[in-house]
Amino acid sequence: MFTGITMNFKRYFIRVLHRLQKGPGYTYKELLVWYCDNTNTHGPKRIIREGPKKKVIWFFLTLLFASLVFWQWGILIDTYLSYSVSSSLSIGFKTMKFPAVTVCNASPYKYSKVRHLLKELDELTEAALERILQSKHGDAISAPPLHSSETVSQRLDLKLWNQIPLVLIDESDPDHPVIIDLFETNQSGSGTQPNNSTPALSNVTSEAKKHKVAVKLCHHKDTLQCIYWNFTSAAQAVTEWYILQSTSILSKVPLQERIRMGYQPEDMILACLYGAEPCSYRNFTQIYHPDHGNCYIFNWGMDEEALISSNPGAEFGLKLILDISQQDYIPYLTSTAGARLMLHEQKSFPFLKDQGIYAMSGTETSIGVLVDELERMGYPYSDCTMNGSDVPVKNLYNEYNISYSIQACLRSCFQAQMFENCGCGHYLFPLPEGVNYCNNEDDPDWAYCYSSLRSSIRHRQFCIDSCKETCNDTQYKMTISMADWPSEASEDWIFHILSYERDLSTNVTLDRNGIIKLNIYFQEYNYRTISESAATTIVWLLSSLGGQFGFWMGGSVLCLIEFGEIIIDFLWITIINVISWCKGLKQKRAWAQYPDTPPTVSELVEAHTNLGFQHEDTNITPRDEVPPPGALPPEPGTPPPKYDSLRVDPQADIDSDSDVEAS
């Protein structure tokens, strides 16, 4: 049975081979005429059936409409490959998770606990402000003289100043601005005295009002290179300069010590109520935020399930009373008084500098919340990520066990760039493993490097290209209203009660400048979902392609199949012609080996006749001569082989093929 199957397969293979060798049996012209005469597409039939003039007209019409079809197809395919999306808005109603609420103080530390670290910096800032005011007034008598006993400039250690100085830029002549150092020192060592005889400050006229204050940042490694941060206001310049200097100082303080120097939860969170359930600072999770020090998160969802809000309205939300103690703020570091707060999803890091809001002291701030849920489509419709696993930037905020966010990615990318270019990490962002924070002593050029990196468009674009938006996101839209709190009629007893509960004191230790009341609640349970869907699908593409083909040429899918068949036959004929041309070329090369006419088959057979098998007797009896009696007949010679019998005659196979096809 197996042998029969093998023989049938072999016979079928031979028939297929013969069919391939034979080809369609048409020339190019015959194939084109056959297609035009048999296709279901309108137009080609009229080209071969009409008269000469109409043939030309129908040829151009068919060519024109075929071009229109291909043009429309190109537009449709390009539209599909653009992977555009359409956004839809739907509104639902359900009970929702209450958002995580992060509250921080505007000041990261208590001044009473960091005064010893910032003492020299504060004295240097006072002296710098004194000289700035002197230059602004344009009169040396209007400000205390630098050599008098009333000034602190004589006991300054200018080591900090020499690292990152403040300068004045005189723009009286815009084409040739003059840079004036506030403190000119005799040598670059520490403990030098300021030079009071600075001509640029002693001979100030009314043109001094054109002075601008700038922060001077220099690079000392190879050649001295300096850049200037220009500010229109001296207040802005002093604040930025103080932040750079304090960052260098505080970066060397251990984390636990920085936490101890911040505002503690029992001192900051005076009262808490969620719905009808009382709460306290123990229901908050503490984290350290470089910008705001100790921050406290309610309903973060790290160790417990997220709270569900039972009803909309202020009575079912979160109520807090905070004490920010702004009398203990760092004067040159924090110029804003209030509480910084942010609403965000559970298990996400609060980036208050980007998305936080301020609550003013002495007020009751009510925040009504509406929820927007964003659902983006992934690749190839948008370059978003589900969990950040496909982002090439290492997330430095993973130590908090939080979900991915683009803010975390951008900051992690910047910190990586900071370490790569400056050799240290910035104080405001988490550190990679084995990296230290930048400071003036170990990294004297860090401020110059940081400023160059922050202003570099190339580095910023690199981080923007590396990070991706999240595909699913929840945004909280807030409606904020404020009122004075407590009122003048009730502030006496309220401050007495709160002071006693916090300090166990009968004296009033709180005042309006430090108290904040917050009400955070859902305005309604209606939530909006903004979702993306594909604007073009494969079904849309096929129907659009078919519609254009049918409209312009009256075709269908079967017409395309016919056209594909013709293309296959065209290629088939081309391959057979190429093979025949190669065989002819090979045969011509073989004939070129003979100088004369190539020998015939009979000549080749005669040349290879084996004479060794002929009779050895040369006395061959003629055919008509009768041999003598008793003599043996001559031994016949060996005839030459019939070479024609060795040729394969495919006639039988072809006949059998024809029989099978006929059957």
Side-chain angles (χ1 to χ4, degrees):
M1 180 178 178
F2 180 76
T3 305
I5 295 175
T6 305
M7 294 299 296
N8 291 334
F9 178 77
K10 183 177 180 181
R11 191 177 297 109
Y12 175 77
F13 180 77
I14 293 174
R15 288 199 299 266
V16 171
L17 183 62
H18 290 163
R19 176 60 180 167
L20 291 175
Q21 292 175 350
K22 182 180 179 181
Y26 301 116
T27 62
Y28 293 124
K29 181 178 179 181
E30 292 173 346
L31 186 64
L32 183 61
V33 171
W34 179 88
Y35 171 74
C36 294
D37 193 35
N38 292 276
T39 182
N40 291 320
T41 306
H42 300 310
K45 290 183 180 181
R46 307 296 296 270
I47 296 176
I48 64 173
R49 293 183 180 181
E50 297 292 344
K53 295 182 179 179
K54 288 188 176 181
K55 281 184 178 181
V56 174
I57 295 174
W58 277 104
F59 174 78
F60 282 106
L61 287 176
T62 303
L63 183 63
L64 172 63
F65 292 135
S67 302
L68 287 174
V69 169
F70 286 114
W71 175 57
Q72 291 292 328
W73 280 5
I75 294 176
L76 293 172
I77 294 174
D78 183 68
T79 302
Y80 174 75
L81 294 179
S82 65
Y83 298 109
S84 58
V85 297
S86 59
S87 299
S88 60
L89 174 65
S90 60
I91 300 177
F93 179 84
K94 66 177 181 179
T95 58
M96 292 179 289
K97 293 180 179 180
F98 196 77
V101 180
T102 299
V103 292
C104 311
N105 206 320
S107 178
Y109 309 105
K110 288 185 175 182
Y111 189 48
S112 58
K113 295 186 178 181
V114 297
R115 189 191 303 271
H116 64 286
L117 297 174
L118 304 177
K119 181 180 179 181
E120 294 182 2
L121 179 59
D122 291 342
E123 292 177 352
L124 189 60
T125 306
E126 292 176 12
L129 288 173
E130 176 185 319
R131 296 185 70 85
I132 291 174
L133 290 174
Q134 183 178 355
S135 68
K136 292 293 183 182
H137 283 287
D139 186 1
I141 303 175
S142 62
L146 294 179
H147 57 271
S148 68
S149 59
E150 299 178 8
T151 183
V152 297
S153 59
Q154 290 186 355
R155 59 177 185 270
L156 292 179
D157 183 351
L158 296 181
K159 182 179 180 181
L160 286 175
W161 184 268
N162 293 330
Q163 292 169 342
I164 306 177
L166 277 171
V167 297
L168 293 177
I169 300 179
D170 186 0
E171 295 183 342
S172 301
D173 184 1
D175 297 331
H176 301 87
V178 179
I179 299 175
I180 308 167
D181 195 344
L182 290 179
F183 295 101
E184 286 189 357
T185 57
N186 298 326
Q187 300 294 334
S188 59
S190 62
T192 56
Q193 298 298 322
N195 185 359
N196 288 334
S197 60
T198 305
L201 292 180
S202 59
N203 298 324
V204 178
T205 64
S206 59
E207 293 295 328
K209 294 182 180 180
K210 295 184 179 180
H211 287 167
K212 289 185 178 180
V213 183
V215 179
K216 182 180 179 181
L217 304 174
C218 294
H219 178 71
H220 304 86
K221 285 187 178 179
D222 299 327
T223 58
L224 184 62
Q225 298 177 353
C226 297
I227 59 176
Y228 296 90
W229 280 1
N230 295 324
F231 298 90
T232 57
S233 172
Q236 294 175 331
V238 170
T239 300
E240 292 297 327
W241 174 80
Y242 193 93
I243 290 174
L244 285 177
Q245 296 283 16
S246 61
T247 295
S248 173
I249 295 172
L250 295 171
S251 64
K252 295 180 287 186
V253 179
L255 177 60
Q256 293 302 320
E257 183 66 18
R258 280 179 275 155
I259 293 175
R260 188 191 63 81
M261 294 186 301
Y263 290 84
Q264 303 306 310
E266 59 272 15
D267 298 330
M268 182 175 173
I269 303 173
L270 303 182
C272 176
L273 185 68
Y274 178 72
E277 297 293 330
C279 51
S280 68
Y281 67 87
R282 295 182 179 87
N283 298 105
F284 289 74
T285 303
Q286 177 178 332
I287 65 169
Y288 178 79
H289 199 285
D291 286 308
H292 300 285
N294 295 333
C295 292
Y296 305 97
I297 306 177
F298 179 80
N299 194 34
W300 202 12
M302 287 296 185
D303 301 323
E304 67 281 339
E305 292 293 331
L307 298 176
I308 303 296
S309 181
S310 57
N311 281 297
E315 62 271 22
F316 298 99
L318 176 66
K319 300 180 178 64
L320 295 175
I321 297 178
L322 306 176
D323 177 25
I324 61 172
S325 302
Q326 64 168 304
Q327 69 275 5
D328 207 7
Y329 275 22
I330 302 174
Y332 300 115
L333 182 63
T334 307
S335 57
T336 302
R340 189 77 165 171
L341 65 115
M342 176 181 167
L343 308 183
H344 54 98
E345 287 187 275
Q346 280 74 29
K347 297 182 180 180
S348 63
F349 191 84
F351 294 97
L352 293 104
K353 200 168 186 178
D354 298 336
Q355 301 171 329
I357 61 173
Y358 279 110
M360 189 170 63
S361 59
T363 62
E364 178 176 351
T365 303
S366 297
I367 303 174
V369 181
L370 293 175
V371 180
D372 286 346
E373 296 179 354
L374 303 180
E375 298 176 357
R376 300 182 180 91
M377 296 191 69
Y379 183 83
Y381 296 95
S382 66
D383 193 20
C384 68
T385 179
M386 294 299 297
N387 53 16
S389 59
D390 54 342
V391 175
V393 178
K394 182 181 179 181
N395 189 0
L396 300 179
Y397 291 85
N398 279 336
E399 60 178 293
Y400 297 100
N401 193 25
I402 61 172
S403 57
Y404 171 85
S405 66
I406 190 171
Q407 291 86 1
C409 179
L410 290 174
R411 283 160 176 77
S412 300
C413 180
F414 181 84
Q415 187 74 304
Q417 294 284 326
M418 185 78 182
F419 172 67
E420 181 180 346
N421 292 273
C422 307
C424 56
H426 196 274
Y427 172 71
L428 295 180
F429 312 118
L431 282 176
E433 186 176 356
V435 181
N436 297 322
Y437 284 121
C438 300
N439 61 78
N440 293 338
E441 295 181 0
D442 300 331
D443 310 282
D445 299 326
W446 79 270
Y448 174 89
C449 181
Y450 165 69
S451 176
S452 302
L453 188 64
R454 192 176 70 167
S455 59
S456 172
I457 298 178
R458 180 175 62 87
H459 287 94
R460 282 186 293 174
Q461 190 62 42
F462 173 79
C463 291
I464 292 174
D465 295 339
S466 300
C467 296
K468 300 179 181 180
E469 285 276 7
T470 54
C471 292
N472 298 320
D473 192 15
T474 300
Q475 296 181 352
Y476 298 98
K477 306 297 183 181
M478 295 176 285
T479 302
I480 304 173
S481 60
M482 290 183 293
D484 288 339
W485 185 88
S487 63
E488 293 183 1
S490 58
E491 65 179 2
D492 185 58
W493 70 268
I494 288 179
F495 288 149
H496 270 91
I497 291 295
L498 294 177
S499 299
Y500 179 78
E501 289 177 346
R502 189 187 69 169
D503 303 326
L504 298 178
S505 172
T506 57
N507 298 324
V508 176
T509 58
L510 301 174
D511 57 24
R512 182 179 295 275
N513 293 328
I515 291 296
I516 298 174
K517 186 176 182 181
L518 297 175
N519 298 323
I520 304 171
Y521 56 91
F522 283 121
Q523 279 186 300
E524 53 188 25
Y525 273 175
N526 290 338
Y527 68 95
R528 300 187 304 175
T529 300
I530 303 173
S531 58
E532 293 181 347
S533 59
T536 57
T537 61
I538 189 65
V539 175
W540 172 88
L541 178 63
L542 293 177
S543 62
S544 300
L545 294 177
Q548 293 295 326
F549 188 41
F551 178 74
W552 294 107
M553 298 195 67
S556 63
V557 177
L558 295 178
C559 297
L560 296 178
I561 296 176
E562 291 176 353
F563 187 74
E565 180 185 6
I566 295 303
I567 294 298
I568 294 174
D569 289 343
F570 179 86
L571 295 176
W572 195 350
I573 294 173
T574 302
I575 293 173
I576 291 175
N577 291 339
V578 170
I579 293 175
S580 300
W581 178 80
C582 292
K583 287 183 177 179
L585 183 63
K586 184 177 181 181
Q587 188 174 7
K588 288 180 180 179
R589 290 177 178 175
W591 290 348
Q593 297 178 0
Y594 299 96
D596 299 326
T597 305
T600 62
V601 175
S602 60
E603 291 175 346
L604 292 173
V605 171
E606 183 177 344
H608 288 80
T609 302
N610 191 350
L611 301 178
F613 289 93
Q614 299 296 329
H615 196 272
E616 295 179 357
D617 190 4
T618 56
N619 297 322
I620 301 176
T621 305
R623 180 173 300 181
D624 297 337
E625 184 178 351
V626 179
L632 295 175
E635 184 176 351
T638 303
K642 292 184 177 181
Y643 290 96
D644 291 340
S645 63
L646 298 180
R647 295 182 179 178
V648 178
D649 188 6
Q651 187 64 33
D653 293 331
I654 295 175
D655 292 342
S656 60
D657 255 351
S658 302
D659 296 341
V660 172
E661 292 177 358
S663 60

